[in-house]
Amino acid sequence: MGFLENKKALIIGVASNRSIAWGIAQAMHQQGAELAFTYQNDRLQSRVEKMAQDCSSSIVLPCDVASDDNISALFTQLGEHWSEFDILVHSVAFAPKEELEGDFVERTTRAGSMMAHDISSYSLTALAKAARPMLQGHASAILSLSYLGAEKAMPNYNVMGLAKASLEANTRYMAYALGPDGIRVNCISAGPIRTLAAAGIGDFRKMLEHVEQNAPLRKNVTIEEVGNAAAFLCSDLASGITGEVTYVDAGYNIVGMSGY
Ligand code: NAD
Ligand code: 0WE
């Protein structure tokens, strides 16, 4: 018997079988959770529908998190399947590609900054606002995905670093606001993983090699490892944990200097 038996989880952010959201969905399914999925646009619909089937799920709904109407319609439609649910996974980020390379000060624009913060941080609050009636009053959990660029300056991550800093603060403010409703809010800061969001990022291979050579565990993490930590954080095993950022990064973040 799995530790997510009798839990219902909504997974936002599956785009391919390399998506971190997919690793989370599979781990939660293995632990007995019942799943529902969203997809960002028509191009992704059939792919997400097929992947949902692999997790015995037939609830697959559209949602562009930039739209309040989409978010509102999502929970109206979800309500036709589930009267309440227990777990909300947010595995979504976006900034204009041109702003994820080169000199931060030169590249960052007002529009790009607003877009990055809107999609990558505010959307978590917007989703929680709309989902609150279906999550409150029982042991439930919200989880999002961050990256070390939130707290340390990194080459090229640029405006996404600011958006992730906002997401991590959002985790704390949401945990504070939603705790009295029985809703825990946590965040996983994952090490670099080759997903669609990493495709086309210059020198991604070099970053993976750097982590492999310098992280305490001398490896990169997988979506399965992130998925297992996510399943734990969203389960009743983590009933005392809220407002936290948990690193699933082979220990990379704790190293001051490596190589001696
Ligand atoms: P991915 O491309 O598989 O997933 C990103 C998802 O964001 C996609 O499913 C995409 O459809 C969705 N998305 C973007 N804009 C959206 C919008 N307006 N509305 C709805 N959905 C939208 O890549 P991933 O690496 O699995 O990314 C998932 C999360 O993990 C992101 O928050 C990312 O910042 C974070 N993360 C990734 C890494 C990494 O190295 N891959 C490391 C740490 C954290
Ligand atoms: O959060 C991310 C990536 C998020 C992301 C990726 C893209 C690519 C396509 C946000 N917006 C876009 N916009 C696009 O048009 N990661 C943690 C992965 C990542 O991205 C980097 C990294 C790492 C790690 C970008 C530069 C440097 C390092």
Side-chain angles (χ1 to χ4, degrees), residues 121 124-126 128 142 169-179 183 185:
S121 178
L124 183 70
T125 316
I142 297 175
N170 207 342
T171 301
R172 293 183 282 274
Y173 275 85
M174 284 176 51
Y176 185 82
L178 298 176
I183 308 171
V185 186

Side-chain angles (χ1 to χ4, degrees), residues 12-16 18-22 38-41 44 63-67 90-94 119-120 144-148 157 160 164 167 188-198 204 207 223:
I12 301 176
V14 174
S16 80
R18 293 183 165 217
S19 291
I20 293 175
W22 180 237
T38 71
Y39 56 91
Q40 182 187 355
N41 53 44
L44 294 171
C63 186
D64 183 327
V65 301
S67 157
H90 175 287
S91 187
V92 171
F94 184 79
I119 305 298
S120 314
S144 68
L145 275 301
S146 189
Y147 178 60
L148 187 59
Y157 200 60
M160 269 310 303
K164 290 301 192 188
L167 179 71
I188 286 178
S189 183
I193 301 176
R194 194 176 290 288
T195 63
L196 285 178
F204 200 76
M207 286 186 40
I223 62 168

Side-chain angles (χ1 to χ4, degrees), residues 75-172:
F75 293 106
T76 303
Q77 289 177 273
L78 189 66
E80 292 165 12
H81 301 268
W82 294 344
S83 59
E84 50 182 33
F85 71 108
D86 311 283
I87 298 170
L88 174 67
V89 175
H90 175 287
S91 187
V92 171
F94 184 79
K97 200 174 176 61
E98 322 80 72
E99 304 200 10
L100 294 179
E101 56 191 355
D103 182 305
F104 166 68
V105 175
E106 292 296 324
R107 289 299 175 96
T108 305
T109 66
R110 191 182 299 273
S113 178
M114 285 174 63
M115 173 79 87
H117 283 79
D118 185 33
I119 305 298
S120 314
S121 178
Y122 174 69
S123 66
L124 183 70
T125 316
L127 286 161
K129 196 194 287 274
R132 192 173 196 168
M134 296 177 77
L135 291 172
Q136 69 192 357
H138 57 283
S140 62
I142 297 175
L143 183 80
S144 68
L145 275 301
S146 189
Y147 178 60
L148 187 59
E151 27 166 347
K152 304 288 182 196
M154 301 272 201
N156 304 322
Y157 200 60
N158 293 358
V159 72
M160 269 310 303
L162 281 67
K164 290 301 192 188
S166 168
L167 179 71
E168 293 184 7
N170 207 342
T171 301
R172 293 183 282 274

